[in-house]
Amino acid sequence: MKKSSLSRRADPAIKQPLTPDSTLYDDIEAAWLAQRPDLDLTAACTLLRLERVNQLHEMRLQEIAKAVGLQTGELYVLLALRRSGKPYELRPTDLFRALLVTSGAMTKRVARLQDGGFVLRVSASDDGRSELVRLTAKGLATADRGIAEVARVVKGVTAASGLTKAELAMLDRCLRKLLAVRTVKAPKKSSRLAGVD
């Protein structure tokens, strides 16, 4: 890690509130700089902070889901159906692919939502053997309530963070670049690392 990575904390133009999280990650960054100054771990420390941001966001979503009487995964299903547009229905395959879960996990979520009256299963008009998951009126109302609450909470977090629209746009562009990297090949083992002399 370069010494300049620590200077971003000391830069008076970057006013960062001290929180237990920011102190923790600053300490991790400083420790690696001291222990392995030969390695540039700036991006790794940034990704640690990003991971924590995601954890905090997930905790907020759990609270929102709980407020509407659902588990977070179930809320995700309702939101996926809601954003699909009228008639607010998708094949189970489309749902589990969109939400990056297994088909088994999706089957359980859909079953719980159906038991609660949030969705129903209907036959696909183009294929009688195929099934669709469709929002009920209750599911639609719950999805709308949930996404409105998500928007409210995210707006509050954004305001509290002090991020500008330009900074958010830059952050979005940076995250898109990171998401474009799917795999990184590990370097081939040298004979010394493999234990072969």
Side-chain angles (χ1 to χ4, degrees):
M1 189 181 322
K2 296 173 186 169
K3 289 185 180 179
S4 61
S5 64
L6 283 182
S7 67
R8 67 180 168 186
R9 290 180 296 146
D11 186 345
I14 303 173
K15 301 202 185 231
Q16 298 173 339
L18 286 179
T19 65
D21 283 337
S22 64
T23 302
L24 169 67
Y25 295 116
D26 289 347
D27 290 347
I28 291 170
E29 192 171 10
W32 279 122
L33 180 61
Q35 296 301 313
R36 290 298 306 267
D38 57 310
L39 298 177
D40 184 356
L41 294 169
T42 306
C45 293
T46 297
L47 291 172
L48 277 176
R49 290 180 178 94
L50 184 60
E51 184 179 331
R52 181 58 178 154
V53 167
N54 183 60
Q55 289 171 347
L56 293 170
H57 181 64
E58 285 293 322
M59 289 165 50
R60 294 178 192 114
L61 289 176
Q62 286 174 4
E63 288 300 313
I64 292 168
K66 187 177 176 183
V68 296
L70 298 172
Q71 294 178 13
T72 310
E74 296 163 358
L75 178 61
Y76 288 158
V77 173
L78 296 188
L79 296 180
L81 291 166
R82 177 63 178 91
R83 68 177 175 261
S84 72
K86 288 184 179 180
Y88 311 119
E89 62 187 24
L90 291 169
R91 286 180 165 75
T93 309
D94 297 328
L95 278 170
F96 74 72
R97 285 180 182 157
L99 299 177
L100 305 175
V101 297
T102 65
S103 59
M106 185 53 63
T107 299
K108 289 177 185 175
R109 290 180 189 183
V110 169
R112 287 193 300 263
L113 288 167
Q114 188 173 16
D115 289 346
F118 298 97
V119 301
L120 33 104
R121 298 172 199 249
V122 297
S123 293
S125 57
D126 61 341
D127 181 1
R129 298 169 298 162
S130 195
E131 189 177 78
L132 295 169
V133 179
R134 180 184 294 164
L135 281 181
T136 61
K138 178 181 179 181
L140 177 62
T142 304
D144 279 339
R145 183 176 159 210
I147 196 61
E149 188 62 14
V150 168
R152 186 190 69 76
V153 167
V154 170
K155 183 178 180 181
V157 169
T158 304
S161 74
L163 284 169
T164 65
K165 287 187 178 185
E167 288 172 327
L168 283 171
M170 174 60 82
L171 177 60
D172 186 68
R173 287 193 297 276
C174 293
L175 292 176
R176 287 172 189 271
K177 287 182 178 182
L178 285 171
L179 286 170
V181 181
R182 305 310 274 179
T183 58
V184 176
K185 292 183 180 179
K188 291 182 180 180
K189 292 181 182 178
S190 71
S191 57
R192 288 184 68 192
L193 290 175
V196 177
D197 291 323

